């Protein structure tokens, strides 16, 4: 089992940048595929990005591709989401998630953090 704690959310103007972090507990972090999801008010939760345990494979939602970058540091048990060129429609609670299966957008991951709020003002 793994526990996840997100940080780095906040208020930023459109066009700005933020970097989210997600620190995982446990000794087996490097065996987990890691994900970022988000949920805006009144909307369903949506996939944002994923990274394989090795960091070699990444996946992105079309709405963030080219603006967001997911990365991980297995020595620090941490996954990051660098968000550039932010737009008001990126406003949401961002959740970190983990799963030991091959990364996929077909099934929700098994483990979830509590979320961190990102607000982009116009």
């Amino acid at each position: 089992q793994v526990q996840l704690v997100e940080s780095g959310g906040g208020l930023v103007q459109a066009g700005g940048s933020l970097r989210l972090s997600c620190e995982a507990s446990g000794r087996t972090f490097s065996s987990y595929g890691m994900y970022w999801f988000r949920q805006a008010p009144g909307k369903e939760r949506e996939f944002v990005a994923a990274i394989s345990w090795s960091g070699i494979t990444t996946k992105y939602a079309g709405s963030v591709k080219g603006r967001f970058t997911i990365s991980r540091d297995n020595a620090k048990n941490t996954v990051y989401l660098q968000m550039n060129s932010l737009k008001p429609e990126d406003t949401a609670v961002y959740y970190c998630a983990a799963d030991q299966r091959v990364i996929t957008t077909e099934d929700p991951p098994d483990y979830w953090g509590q979320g961190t709020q990102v607000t982009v003002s116009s």
Side-chain angles (χ1 to χ4, degrees), residues 17-90:
S17 297
L18 279 175
R19 188 176 81 156
L20 304 183
S21 299
C22 171
E23 186 170 356
S25 64
R27 300 178 182 178
T28 59
F29 173 76
S30 60
S31 68
Y32 286 85
M34 298 299 297
Y35 297 76
W36 288 98
F37 285 77
R38 68 186 182 187
Q39 187 166 20
K43 295 189 176 181
E44 292 187 354
R45 183 179 64 198
E46 65 173 353
F47 167 79
V48 174
I51 187 166
S52 63
W53 65 270
S54 65
I56 292 175
T57 303
T58 57
K59 297 179 184 290
Y60 294 94
S63 59
V64 306
K65 200 167 187 178
R67 300 188 298 122
F68 290 12
T69 302
I70 189 171
S71 62
R72 66 189 298 159
D73 185 338
N74 286 344
K76 295 182 178 180
N77 281 14
T78 301
V79 63
Y80 305 97
L81 185 69
Q82 178 66 44
M83 306 186 294
N84 298 330
S85 302
L86 282 161
K87 305 175 182 180
E89 51 263 44
D90 294 317

